[in-house]
Amino acid sequence: KDKSAMICRVPFGARRLPFRRGIVTVRGVKEMRAVRETMAKEGKIVGFVPTMGALHQGHLSLAEKAAEDCDEIITSIFVNPTQFGPGEDLGRYPRDLEGDIKKLRSVPKVTTVFQPDPEEMYPEETHIYVTLDSLEERLREGRSRPGHFKGVATVVTKLFNIVQPHKAYFGQKDGGQCIVIKRLVQELLINTEIKLVPTLREKDGLAMSSRNAYITPQERPHATVLYKALQELHNLFVNGERKAEKLLQCGIGIISANQNVRIIYLDLCCSHTAKQFQGSDVIPKGVKVMASGAIMLGKTRLIDNILLEA
């Protein structure tokens, strides 16, 4: 028998995808739990890659890493409305389910795509959300997008509760999100191991992102300025500079010199606690620091980060 067909489970409410034997798409929570229960009975180590779709090679690298560690992989595709603020790009966020499934064909062990309905994830009478207290305020991305991490923490908690993965994979590109999810799992005692995967970049250094599709050909040469600023900041750090003010001035100066972009923030914080380093602060030895930033390029908001270790 074809082994890839043998691992395919199609419970009521699930639909077999035409693109690859062995992959099913599941819409309902009850059906997703039925698929997961079968995996548990078979003793499978399950990896989970939550996404909002519009997949690129960065997403696929998460699934490829999961394939190294796990027996089967569940991928979710859900554009989560609660992590978008007023005036943000929820309505125009790229969506390409058929293209996403075709891309997932290239990754072994991806057996299930969970595409929940927004109405089931967030019923009309939804009262319970996961809030982050002061953590969201400590993260510059949180202050820049009020409510964003509340939405992220809420949807990830729901997805973990439904899928119950042994391991879940996230890209370091969304550095603030990585800090939030690690703390979420630790503090809510969620039995899932969080695996962070390095940022995948284009040849010129631009971090891969679904929102890169918004960038026009005229804007594209300026899209790497944030990464260049972070690189120069990193070089200064490697050469011994530990004063936050000096490091931030270096990066801000590079971004400000480009008239085609607008800086939203450049930040230094502890990659575990999100404690900020600014002004006359000196980064202590042994602390792993995330240097992160956000810029506007035309109508496109771009974020990036790199890790520094004293």
Side-chain angles (χ1 to χ4, degrees):
K1 293 183 179 179
D2 183 340
K3 291 184 179 180
S4 66
M6 290 172 65
I7 62 173
C8 178
R9 311 164 188 83
V10 190
F12 179 78
R15 178 170 61 90
R16 187 190 299 275
L17 292 170
F19 307 108
R20 172 189 168 202
R21 280 180 297 174
I23 297 183
V24 296
T25 183
V26 181
R27 297 299 299 266
V29 170
K30 184 183 293 185
E31 291 72 38
M32 183 64 251
R33 285 179 168 151
V35 170
R36 180 63 184 88
E37 185 178 352
T38 301
M39 293 178 184
K41 288 177 179 177
E42 295 174 354
K44 303 291 188 181
I45 300 298
V46 176
F48 181 44
V49 180
T51 81
M52 293 207 300
L55 303 185
H56 50 71
Q57 191 56 46
H59 294 111
L60 298 183
S61 73
L62 304 181
E64 288 164 358
K65 177 58 181 170
E68 295 176 7
D69 302 337
C70 304
D71 299 319
E72 295 197 41
I73 303 165
I74 298 169
T75 301
S76 65
I77 296 177
F78 179 64
V79 181
N80 176 38
T82 63
Q83 67 189 70
F84 290 81
E88 292 189 351
D89 58 340
L90 174 60
R92 71 183 184 115
Y93 192 85
R95 292 164 171 85
D96 180 18
L97 180 61
E98 183 174 337
D100 291 342
I101 300 302
K102 288 181 177 178
K103 289 172 184 174
L104 289 171
R105 293 174 62 190
S106 66
V107 184
K109 301 183 182 178
V110 175
T111 61
T112 307
V113 174
F114 181 40
Q115 190 197 6
D117 290 313
E119 294 77 13
E120 188 169 21
M121 293 294 283
Y122 296 103
E124 188 174 345
E125 294 279 332
T126 295
H127 301 287
I128 307 299
Y129 293 88
V130 179
T131 58
L132 282 69
D133 199 17
S134 62
L135 180 59
E136 186 159 31
E137 280 297 307
R138 291 203 298 274
L139 288 162
R140 284 294 300 272
E141 183 71 0
R143 298 207 300 275
S144 176
R145 299 179 68 189
H148 169 67
F149 287 127
K150 172 184 172 182
V152 169
T154 298
V155 77
V156 168
T157 301
K158 291 186 180 211
L159 289 169
F160 282 177
N161 185 36
I162 297 163
V163 175
Q164 297 188 7
H166 294 94
K167 305 172 191 288
Y169 296 77
F170 296 86
Q172 181 59 47
K173 196 219 81 170
D174 295 296
Q177 174 177 277
C178 292
I179 292 173
V180 166
I181 290 168
K182 286 191 296 182
R183 294 297 294 270
L184 174 78
V185 166
Q186 176 187 340
E187 295 189 22
L188 295 188
L189 307 178
I190 296 173
N191 191 26
T192 295
E193 181 183 357
I194 302 303
K195 306 282 278 188
L196 304 183
V197 179
T199 302
L200 219 60
R201 300 183 180 277
E202 305 289 353
K203 290 181 179 179
D204 61 359
L206 178 65
M208 292 185 180
S209 169
S210 299
R211 288 186 170 95
N212 290 354
Y214 300 154
I215 301 172
T216 68
Q218 294 74 29
E219 293 168 341
R220 184 62 181 80
H222 307 287
T224 59
V225 67
L226 176 56
Y227 180 55
K228 290 175 180 176
L230 291 170
Q231 280 186 308
E232 288 303 312
L233 186 157
H234 177 263
N235 291 339
L236 193 60
F237 182 87
V238 168
N239 288 324
E241 182 60 68
R242 293 295 183 269
K243 291 182 180 178
E245 185 176 29
K246 295 287 188 182
L247 293 167
L248 292 171
Q249 283 177 349
C250 168
I252 290 170
I254 292 169
I255 298 170
S256 300
N258 189 316
Q259 300 301 308
N260 296 279
V261 304
R262 174 174 64 85
I263 187 168
I264 300 173
Y265 68 82
L266 196 68
D267 185 55
L268 295 168
C269 76
C270 172
S271 65
H272 176 63
T273 65
K275 170 184 164 55
Q276 276 192 289
F277 298 101
Q278 54 191 342
S280 60
D281 292 341
V282 175
I283 297 172
K285 189 173 182 179
V287 174
K288 184 176 284 190
V289 173
M290 181 176 73
S292 63
I295 61 172
M296 287 298 298
L297 175 59
K299 296 181 179 180
T300 306
R301 188 179 189 277
L302 300 174
I303 63 171
D304 203 349
N305 70 84
I306 57 174
L307 297 176
L308 318 173
E309 191 159 11

